[in-house]
Amino acid sequence: MNRLTRGILLKNLRAITQEMSRFQSDYASFKKILDKAQNIIALTGAGVSAESGIPVFRGAGGWWRNHRATELATPEAFQRNPALVWEFYHYRRNIAFNSIPNNAHYALALYEERCKQEGRQFHIITQNVDGLHFRAGSKEVIELHGSLTKVKCTKCKFIDVNIDNPICEALKDKGDPIAKDTNESQIPIDELPKCSKCGSLVRPYIVWFGEMLDPETIEKAMSLVETADMCIVVGTSSVVYPAAMFAPTIAERGKPVAEFNINEEPASDDFKFYFNGKCGITLPKALGVNL
Ligand code: OAD
Ligand code: ZN
């Protein structure tokens, strides 16, 4: 087969695939449905913050020194070496706190404001821990996986807001992600961040691998999922449960789901709309907000 024939065949194949898939990419039809919806959920993942310079989880960038990020984000790693895990989180807090929200965050915040004025419900359920939705002005945000802006006491379990950077003197200038000969942290435990109530060691308020989500948070999210009549899915690989089942559950009830991602295809065939591209560009356009 020569190159020309193969090119024509590929083009036809793409057209047939698009024809077969049921999703639409028409901004005007999406907007018409969105503006009538009464209970909207925006489900967001790492991709919504990618244009703010925060690395996503899957793909490159999942390493810190010679550790997989997913291996440090565990209760076992913290038990074994709290100083090393705190160095890793100091690094992540530093990135998040020095980043600024992008147009995708702002578009969601502005659309929420508009819904409020019109007496409609708009909630964000995010898997991100960077706090950028709040910093963009969103009010109704459920942080499913916790937040880098909070700490939890290992003893009395008090949850406190803490945006100090560095969070303690000993972590200043620590957490270099490529330092080669510093696999072990030299920081003594009693110099790590402490609880403002009882003085014990605190940990980042993050749901680590192998841990349960906070029951109250998940309950709130589930009840929003049950009543949603429209769902927007932005920048998530949709592989981590329970977040991965929220949008398909809404689609199964026959309600419209619109996905925004840089992938070629939507995460599910049941989604009504799919907008391919960087969400900092596609989302403001789709929501029709003036930034
Ligand atoms: P992932 O890193 O798995 O997926 C990021 C998604 O964003 C991918 O589908 C990308 O194609 C998409 N993406 C990247 N840049 C984008 C852009 N500019 N515009 C639109 N889409 C873009 O991140 P999550 O799905 O959020 O959990 O990962 C879910 C959870 O897995 C995380 O919360 C974390 C991790 O394990 C915990 O830490 C508990
Ligand atoms: Zn305490």
Side-chain angles (χ1 to χ4, degrees):
M1 194 186 305
N2 68 29
R3 214 191 291 168
L4 183 67
T5 330
R6 198 167 38 202
I8 292 169
L9 264 177
L10 269 177
K11 221 169 151 189
N12 284 343
L13 196 66
R14 216 169 283 145
I16 292 167
T17 324
Q18 291 223 326
E19 186 72 18
M20 276 165 44
S21 63
R22 290 184 287 141
F23 70 83
Q24 305 169 29
S25 299
D26 172 19
Y27 283 94
S29 327
F30 165 75
K31 188 74 175 24
K32 225 165 152 183
I33 298 180
L34 179 77
D35 286 347
K36 286 204 190 107
Q38 297 299 313
N39 286 300
I40 305 163
I41 295 182
L43 186 64
T44 68
V48 81
S49 297
E51 289 157 74
S52 294
I54 300 183
V56 298
F57 285 88
R58 289 172 179 79
W63 288 79
W64 181 81
R65 297 184 187 165
N66 59 346
H67 303 272
R68 262 180 212 285
T70 48
E71 277 160 21
L72 287 172
T74 65
E76 292 78 18
F78 189 71
Q79 191 124 31
R80 211 169 32 237
N81 197 341
L84 190 72
V85 173
W86 258 119
E87 279 206 42
F88 170 59
Y89 275 96
H90 170 65
Y91 161 71
R92 299 200 56 190
R93 284 166 55 98
N94 217 7
I95 295 179
F97 295 175
N98 285 305
S99 300
I100 50 170
N102 65 59
N103 283 347
H105 298 107
Y106 287 124
L108 291 168
L110 285 173
Y111 198 81
E112 175 186 332
E113 186 59 41
R114 179 178 158 184
C115 285
K116 206 162 275 167
Q117 284 163 10
E118 294 171 357
R120 300 186 292 136
Q121 299 285 319
F122 187 94
H123 290 88
I124 293 175
I125 303 178
T126 187
Q127 298 166 86
N128 299 345
V129 294
D130 54 37
L132 289 182
H133 284 305
F134 283 118
R135 281 173 53 203
S138 289
K139 303 276 185 305
E140 304 294 339
V141 184
I142 295 183
E143 293 175 311
L144 272 186
H145 294 164
S147 175
L148 291 170
T149 65
K150 293 179 184 163
V151 292
K152 184 176 177 180
C153 178
T154 53
K155 196 163 183 201
C156 76
K157 310 296 175 206
F158 177 60
I159 297 165
D160 206 359
V161 172
N162 189 322
I163 51 167
D164 298 344
N165 191 23
I167 191 168
C168 63
E169 205 41 43
L171 283 167
K172 189 166 179 258
D173 301 326
K174 291 289 186 339
D176 178 357
I178 45 172
K180 291 242 163 34
D181 49 354
T182 50
N183 288 332
E184 292 308 316
S185 174
Q186 305 305 325
I187 304 171
I189 290 189
D190 62 2
E191 289 180 25
L192 290 174
K194 304 226 174 44
C195 175
S196 59
K197 283 241 156 107
C198 76
S200 305
L201 175 69
V202 291
R203 55 167 274 182
Y205 182 61
I206 303 285
V207 180
W208 281 332
F209 292 96
E211 291 186 317
M212 306 272 285
L213 301 195
D214 171 53
E216 237 174 75
T217 309
I218 186 78
E219 204 170 299
K220 242 195 264 174
M222 290 303 292
S223 86
L224 289 174
V225 167
E226 274 162 28
T227 52
D229 59 358
M230 168 112 217
C231 178
I232 300 169
V233 185
V234 192
T236 172
S237 53
S238 302
V239 292
V240 175
Y241 285 83
M245 70 175 197
F246 292 162
T249 305
I250 295 167
E252 258 169 43
R253 279 198 286 109
K255 304 296 178 194
V257 175
E259 185 180 2
F260 297 78
N261 202 301
I262 51 170
N263 292 333
E264 285 281 307
E265 293 276 318
S268 159
D269 284 343
D270 296 332
F271 294 173
K272 190 171 176 69
F273 295 97
Y274 185 69
F275 298 97
N276 168 246
K278 290 187 171 181
C279 60
I281 293 166
T282 55
L283 201 55
K285 186 173 168 190
L287 301 184
V289 291
N290 286 323
L291 292 168

